[in-house]
Amino acid sequence: MRKKAYILAAGFWAVMAWSPASFGADASTAGAEAARQGLESWKDSSAPEMALLEQYCMDCHNSSDWAGGVAFDLMSLDELDHDAEVWEKAVRKVRAGMMPPQGQPRPERVVLDGMVQWLGTGLDLAWDSSPNPGAEPASRLNRTEYLNAVRDMLAFDATALVRTLPADATEEGFDNIAEALSMSPTLLEGYLTVARQISLQAIGDVNTAPTQVEYSAGSRDAQQGYIEGLPIGTRGGMLVEHYFPVDARYEFNVAANIPVYGRDNDVGRMNWCGGPRMEIMFNGVPVPVEDPANFRLQVPAGRHTISVALVDEQRCVGAGEYYLAEVSASSGSVQGMEIDGPYEISGPGDTPSRRAIFACRPASADQEQSCARQILGNLATQAYRRPIRTNDPEVDTLMRFYGLSRNVDGGTFESGIQGALTWLLTDPGFLYRFEHEPQDLAAGEIYRISDLELASRLSFFLWSSIPDKQLLDLASQGRLGDRSVLLAEIERMLQDPRAQALVENFAGQWLKLRDLDVVSPQVATFDESLRDALRQETLLLFRSLVDQNENLLKLLDADYTFLNERLASHYGIEGIWGSYMRKVQLPEDSPRRGLLGQGSILTATSVPNRTSPVVRGAWIVENILGADVPNPPPGVETNLEPPPGENVAADTLRQRLEKHRADPACASCHKIMDPIGFALENFDLVGRWRELDNGLPINTGSEMVDGTHIDGPANLRAALLNRPEAFMTSVSEKLLTYALGRKLQHYDETAVRRIVEQSAAEGFSLAAVVRAIVTSEPFQKRIKLETPALVTAQLSRPVE
């Protein structure tokens, strides 16, 4: 009863903290004072829990042994806020079942869960007594955000150009963490080059020189079957989306291997038979060309689809026109396509990007200045994520760059806009997300960010891009402080196709799908079609849970997955045909249920020549259970490969790993990770099911730290589902990290617990977690720092 009262008290202070009135100084002061009184009551009644702590924890965590660098006998609840970082680590360990350690006395699970709840309540009351929502540092747009912002501003796909920029560094598993997004002179030069090319191509440069772009077709195996997007009845070939910069003629060269066969007919003459016929299509419409291997077309500017497919016509040309039954229908293949041009340019064209940029057209020279200001004011509003009027200083700056390009010999109105756009795309106000810090507040004071800053946080969280007009208008009117308006915007934005960015960028990194792009398993059958199918399976599962508003716990035990013929064959599942991914129900005993049975994660957590129970186990501990895995001690050998000449033909990987664990310096960590990894050893390094390792039966049986017996993926899933609060906390922490673009600190854990509590009450769907995050203190508020959270790089360059 006493614990329940504390939980209710913590929930009350949480409601106080979230209420609009709490943004006022008086309400904040009153809430903090009430929390302090609640904290004193909590401490006064904590004797039973402290006795449990002494009984089960202090034998190791004391001032004599200092296990883990922690001495609970030197810590007092009177200094709970001072020691909060240590207490939060204790909460994390106990919640995940990692403490008490294996082999030590352990109370019943309900007692440990009560300890977690008790300690979390006290930490939350301590936080409410002295709140700290953290401060999001100024952050450079990463490549994905830059690309999406250009797309939404200019209706222009700059993928090929942005890919030339160096890959962004990752921290905490994500590439949008501010501390990792540094700016160097070389990178700034790269942004300038990319910005210049984007502005030229988006506006349309009629002086552009011909270039050659090469595209490769799929693997030889892919040429034997139907390729999605091409006409029914064809096989092989390729489909390419290409940006044609201007209205002009373009040359197409198709590399193909089309054999020609001969045979004697009944009268002894040789008949020659053509191989498959190539069919050319432009935007899905067949195009008659004399030579499909080399031809030219007049193409309007913009993004278009050009495709080539194979049509098998196994008929001889000659007397009798005999059919060659012995000739394989799958002979011949397309190897690639080269697009050259433009030639004979006829104009810049009417493209989506030109329509997005040119909000007006000057009818005469004396209208150019006003029209340019209108265009640049519109673009600046989007780029700077706040309303910009045509007479504002920001537009004055852009007009200077407009003039530099307009007033040169041969300059035109459009070249002036192009010059100003180049500057805009490298302006710090566009490249960085700055937030204003009030000057009249003392360090340590908390304040609510502006509606415009909240709109920017929200759009980059859900869309990895800039706010759209509706969101920006609501923010400009100060309406995002209205909870109902904010929740409606969250719902609208999650339904928008741009929310696919949340699936691809959050789930794609959390679930290691981006790692699939760089892995190279030493398996002959692992090809690009399998790599893509593995990635799509996991993304589609995550997306389906989002679309259906399902509980995210279903990620661990979904009774369906998404397969095509290639992936089904890889898994040994029969009855799936064709290259398109479709939903497939799984039986209750299927090892493929949930994330743990998906080849994407199993492949990404292997090494090139074998599985890795350590990597697989560590990934689950960190990302499913939400506990930390320490790095190996210095000097410890981590290579499991045998020394040259040593015979290990009779060893399984588990046997070699158990020899490694005999080192006491290794055992303490490996006993946490290895049992989990062993349970997945029936999956090989690319996720195929197997019964043998090195010719020997695989032993998947083991015990987790908390004593739970596991011997395969089924009861490993059950063990993880038995700790739903650990998974919900881990997901919430990962998503909050991604949303804030910074590493979480111990003072963020109160917000995490409240996010879990709020979203669990709403079914723990992704939408519920998003709502809880967006309405949380760290997302809506900041603390005034002693020194501003500025970027480390100075963005300055000469005017060109």
Side-chain angles (χ1 to χ4, degrees):
M1 185 67 185
R2 179 163 44 85
K3 288 191 180 73
K4 184 176 181 181
Y6 292 143
I7 295 168
L8 291 174
F12 172 75
W13 310 131
V15 172
M16 287 292 294
W18 289 337
S19 68
S22 69
F23 296 135
D26 293 342
S28 298
T29 302
E33 179 57 34
R36 280 189 285 271
Q37 294 175 13
L39 181 60
E40 290 304 315
S41 298
W42 175 85
K43 287 188 287 188
D44 290 343
S45 303
S46 294
E49 287 78 14
M50 291 302 293
L52 288 170
L53 192 72
E54 183 174 356
Q55 179 181 355
Y56 291 103
C57 304
M58 290 191 188
D59 280 352
C60 299
H61 299 291
N62 56 64
S63 52
S64 297
D65 297 316
W66 283 96
V70 175
F72 285 125
D73 58 334
L74 299 181
M75 296 167 60
S76 167
L77 295 184
D78 290 330
E79 296 182 332
L80 188 65
D81 55 343
H82 178 269
D83 298 324
E85 186 171 4
V86 176
W87 289 115
E88 289 289 2
K89 289 180 180 178
V91 168
R92 183 182 300 273
K93 290 280 191 180
V94 176
R95 181 178 57 224
M98 303 302 171
M99 286 291 166
Q102 199 170 41
Q104 295 296 317
R106 172 183 287 265
E108 294 294 323
R109 168 74 182 276
V110 65
V111 175
L112 290 172
D113 289 347
M115 285 284 290
V116 169
Q117 188 69 66
W118 163 77
L119 191 50
T121 299
L123 287 164
D124 293 347
L125 288 168
W127 188 94
D128 288 334
S129 302
S130 181
N132 181 2
E136 183 176 327
S139 177
R140 171 175 64 80
L141 304 192
N142 65 21
R143 291 198 307 175
T144 299
E145 293 166 341
Y146 185 90
L147 176 66
N148 291 345
V150 168
R151 176 202 65 199
D152 294 340
M153 279 176 57
L154 307 179
F156 179 76
D157 184 353
T159 301
L161 296 170
V162 173
R163 279 179 179 167
T164 65
L165 295 170
D168 296 305
T170 61
E171 191 170 311
E172 300 298 303
F174 300 109
D175 64 1
N176 68 337
I177 305 302
E179 289 87 345
L181 294 170
S182 59
M183 177 67 82
S184 66
T186 301
L187 182 56
L188 181 57
E189 185 64 31
Y191 271 107
L192 188 59
T193 300
V194 167
R196 186 179 294 114
Q197 288 301 312
I198 289 173
S199 61
L200 280 169
Q201 293 186 26
I203 288 176
D205 181 13
V206 295
N207 297 313
T208 187
T211 59
Q212 296 179 343
V213 180
E214 295 183 356
Y215 297 95
S216 296
S219 65
R220 184 174 181 83
D221 288 343
Q223 295 295 308
Q224 310 311 310
Y226 171 72
I227 293 180
E228 190 172 358
L230 296 180
I232 300 297
T234 65
R235 68 167 177 85
M238 62 187 301
L239 185 147
V240 167
E241 244 194 24
H242 182 79
Y243 185 80
F244 297 86
V246 290
D247 290 352
R249 291 182 67 79
Y250 295 84
E251 182 172 314
F252 301 83
N253 295 289
V254 179
N257 177 21
I258 307 296
V260 177
Y261 302 92
R263 62 167 282 176
D264 292 327
N265 63 15
D266 291 343
V267 294
R269 291 183 298 184
M270 183 67 74
N271 285 329
W272 291 97
C273 307
R277 171 173 58 84
M278 287 195 294
E279 183 169 303
I280 306 297
M281 283 149 288
F282 189 82
N283 291 333
V285 178
V287 177
V289 294
E290 185 173 333
D291 180 4
N294 177 260
F295 57 94
R296 284 195 175 195
L297 294 176
Q298 179 70 29
V299 180
R303 185 163 297 278
H304 301 286
T305 300
I306 186 80
S307 56
V308 54
L310 299 178
V311 180
D312 290 309
E313 294 181 336
Q314 306 157 358
R315 195 173 68 172
C316 298
V317 179
E321 297 186 332
Y322 290 95
Y323 284 88
L324 293 179
E326 68 270 23
V327 175
S328 170
S330 60
S331 299
S333 62
V334 174
Q335 297 159 335
M337 180 189 299
E338 179 185 273
I339 302 177
D340 301 346
Y343 302 103
E344 303 172 37
I345 297 173
S346 56
D350 179 24
T351 61
S353 58
R354 285 178 62 81
R355 292 193 292 271
I357 293 168
F358 292 106
C360 59
R361 300 278 182 176
S364 60
D366 59 1
Q367 294 180 5
E368 287 189 4
Q369 287 280 322
S370 61
C371 182
R373 281 188 173 274
Q374 181 181 344
I375 290 171
L376 297 177
N378 178 54
L379 293 174
T381 293
Q382 298 176 73
Y384 300 145
R385 284 88 71 180
R386 53 188 171 84
I388 302 293
R389 295 169 297 182
T390 57
N391 60 346
D392 282 349
E394 293 86 351
V395 176
D396 293 340
T397 299
L398 293 171
M399 287 299 294
R400 287 199 293 272
F401 285 91
Y402 164 83
L404 288 173
S405 297
R406 173 67 180 90
N407 298 328
V408 299
D409 290 341
T412 64
F413 174 76
E414 292 195 359
S415 67
I417 297 297
Q418 184 267 319
L421 181 56
T422 298
W423 163 263
L424 182 62
L425 294 177
T426 52
D427 189 311
F430 172 64
L431 279 180
Y432 278 83
R433 293 166 54 197
F434 295 109
E435 293 182 348
H436 173 69
E437 197 168 70
Q439 298 300 312
D440 57 346
L441 291 182
E445 289 194 52
I446 296 169
Y447 62 95
R448 186 181 187 275
I449 62 174
S450 73
D451 273 28
L452 288 169
E453 291 164 347
L454 180 59
S456 189
R457 284 194 182 191
L458 183 58
S459 65
F460 280 101
F461 174 27
L462 301 186
W463 291 346
S464 296
S465 187
I466 57 177
D468 65 358
K469 186 177 186 304
Q470 178 169 321
L471 181 60
L472 206 57
D473 286 347
L474 289 171
S476 302
Q477 297 161 14
R479 297 181 59 195
L480 294 183
D482 183 329
R483 184 181 177 87
S484 62
V485 172
L486 180 60
L487 293 178
E489 277 301 281
I490 294 171
E491 180 67 22
R492 178 185 73 86
M493 294 175 72
L494 285 174
Q495 296 300 317
D496 191 283
R498 283 169 287 190
Q500 180 64 18
L502 184 61
V503 175
E504 294 180 355
N505 299 327
F506 170 69
Q509 293 181 86
W510 171 46
L511 301 177
K512 296 183 74 68
L513 300 183
R514 290 191 182 179
D515 291 7
L516 277 179
D517 294 334
V518 296
V519 298
S520 300
Q522 296 173 13
V523 175
T525 57
F526 191 89
D527 57 18
E528 291 306 312
S529 61
L530 178 58
R531 190 194 305 268
D532 183 64
L534 290 171
R535 181 190 301 106
Q536 289 302 317
E537 177 190 23
T538 305
L539 284 176
L540 287 169
L541 174 63
F542 192 89
R543 178 81 245 184
S544 70
L545 295 182
V546 174
D547 291 343
Q548 297 166 28
N549 211 34
E550 296 250 26
N551 193 312
L552 291 179
L553 282 166
K554 197 168 184 178
L555 283 169
L556 298 179
D557 194 30
D559 60 356
Y560 64 91
T561 190
F562 292 84
L563 303 173
N564 63 5
E565 182 177 352
R566 178 72 181 88
L567 186 53
S569 174
H570 183 72
Y571 287 166
I573 296 175
E574 299 179 347
I576 307 297
W577 310 104
S579 60
Y580 69 95
M581 303 290 289
R582 83 293 309 267
K583 185 176 181 179
V584 177
Q585 290 296 134
L586 296 172
E588 189 171 348
D589 61 349
S590 172
R592 298 296 171 187
R593 292 169 71 101
L595 294 176
L596 303 187
Q598 299 215 332
S600 58
I601 294 172
L602 295 165
T603 301
T605 53
S606 295
V607 294
N609 63 339
R610 59 170 174 80
T611 61
S612 177
V614 176
V615 176
R616 286 177 176 176
W619 186 84
I620 290 172
V621 169
E622 291 179 331
N623 292 275
I624 304 299
L625 293 173
D628 297 325
V629 174
N631 293 321
V636 171
E637 178 58 59
T638 59
N639 182 16
L640 293 181
E641 302 306 317
E646 182 176 323
N647 181 16
V648 292
D651 283 356
T652 65
L653 176 59
R654 175 167 182 160
Q655 290 168 334
R656 301 204 301 273
L657 187 55
E658 286 176 340
K659 292 177 184 178
H660 173 76
R661 291 173 61 189
D663 185 340
C666 305
S668 60
C669 294
H670 279 279
K671 67 184 179 183
I672 296 173
M673 305 173 291
D674 293 2
I676 295 173
F678 289 149
L680 299 175
E681 271 295 275
N682 281 125
F683 297 112
D684 75 0
L685 72 164
V686 289
R688 294 175 299 194
W689 187 262
R690 61 179 182 169
E691 300 289 345
L692 303 175
D693 176 21
N694 206 16
L696 298 173
I698 293 172
N699 176 13
T700 60
S702 195
E703 276 193 359
M704 297 175 70
V705 176
D706 66 356
T708 301
H709 177 75
I710 50 176
D711 60 6
N715 50 23
L716 174 58
R717 283 197 305 271
L720 298 176
L721 286 168
N722 193 39
R723 293 187 178 275
E725 71 289 344
F727 178 69
M728 291 190 291
T729 300
S730 180
V731 172
S732 299
E733 286 179 334
K734 295 293 183 182
L735 196 55
L736 183 60
T737 299
Y738 177 84
L740 296 177
R742 65 170 174 86
K743 181 179 180 179
L744 297 189
Q745 305 296 330
H746 68 275
Y747 49 75
D748 294 306
E749 292 305 316
T750 287
V752 171
R753 281 187 284 272
R754 289 169 176 169
I755 288 166
V756 171
E757 182 180 3
Q758 179 182 335
S759 57
E762 298 176 17
F764 201 66
S765 64
L766 182 71
V769 182
V770 166
R771 286 191 295 269
I773 286 175
V774 174
T775 55
S776 71
E777 298 260 324
F779 198 86
Q780 296 212 1
K781 295 182 181 180
R782 290 174 61 106
I783 189 169
K784 179 73 176 288
L785 301 177
E786 292 283 353
T787 56
L790 295 176
V791 295
T792 57
Q794 293 295 319
L795 292 179
S796 60
R797 57 196 185 281
V799 173
E800 299 187 355

